[in-house]
Amino acid sequence: MIDLVQRPNFGVIHDAATCTSRRLVLRGSGQAAGDRIFHVHVKDMVKADPSDKTAHDYPAGRFKRAPLNTGNVDHRSLFRALARIGYQGFLSCEATGGDDPAAVAKYEFAEMQKLLKM
């Protein structure tokens, strides 16, 4: 699609959690998109029980959000691929859960820092 649009301001927002929940292949996805990645969206998901009211149904099953680096999303491989291609763009963390939003944000920031040091 990017080749069809042929615009320098049109690229990819990479979201590994969405890929995981929709059964999309992640291996090499960061490397394959290369300099076309404009933004990386970081969140984690975990398989959920069918009765879990906080979960949502996706093609790959029932999932709910989880604290970063505790779910089913392989962010380590993605961050390694981003490092190999020299990605210097934006990262955003979609943090949810908990009664203390500041504590959640601090936790997610610390986990993101760990991923960046890999």
Side-chain angles (χ1 to χ4, degrees), residues 31-51:
Q31 197 162 358
D35 63 355
R36 297 166 180 213
I37 298 175
F38 285 12
H39 185 94
V40 176
H41 191 201
V42 182
K43 68 178 181 243
D44 222 328
M45 304 279 273
V46 64
K47 282 270 200 180
D49 188 84
S51 64

Side-chain angles (χ1 to χ4, degrees), residues 100-118:
D100 183 353
V104 171
K106 286 178 186 177
Y107 170 85
E108 298 285 318
F109 180 76
E111 292 302 307
M112 183 85 78
Q113 292 296 314
K114 289 177 190 176
L115 290 168
L116 288 168
K117 291 178 182 174
M118 300 194 93

Side-chain angles (χ1 to χ4, degrees), residues 1-106:
M1 183 196 267
I2 295 170
D3 290 337
L4 292 173
V5 174
Q6 295 182 356
R7 300 276 315 241
N9 62 342
F10 186 81
V12 173
I13 297 175
H14 194 288
D15 187 331
T18 298
C19 292
T20 299
S21 64
R22 299 199 187 305
R23 281 195 202 128
L24 299 173
V25 176
L26 287 175
R27 294 194 204 292
S29 60
Q31 197 162 358
D35 63 355
R36 297 166 180 213
I37 298 175
F38 285 12
H39 185 94
V40 176
H41 191 201
V42 182
K43 68 178 181 243
D44 222 328
M45 304 279 273
V46 64
K47 282 270 200 180
D49 188 84
S51 64
D52 190 332
K53 302 269 190 238
T54 64
H56 300 280
D57 291 317
Y58 296 94
R62 192 158 179 82
F63 287 86
K64 67 179 180 179
R65 293 193 185 150
L68 190 56
N69 295 328
T70 67
N72 300 118
V73 181
D74 184 5
H75 290 295
R76 288 166 185 83
S77 293
L78 172 63
F79 273 62
R80 284 186 200 110
L82 292 172
R84 278 193 303 274
I85 65 168
Y87 179 73
Q88 296 292 312
F90 293 102
L91 301 169
S92 67
C93 194
E94 185 176 334
T96 59
D99 295 328
D100 183 353
V104 171
K106 286 178 186 177

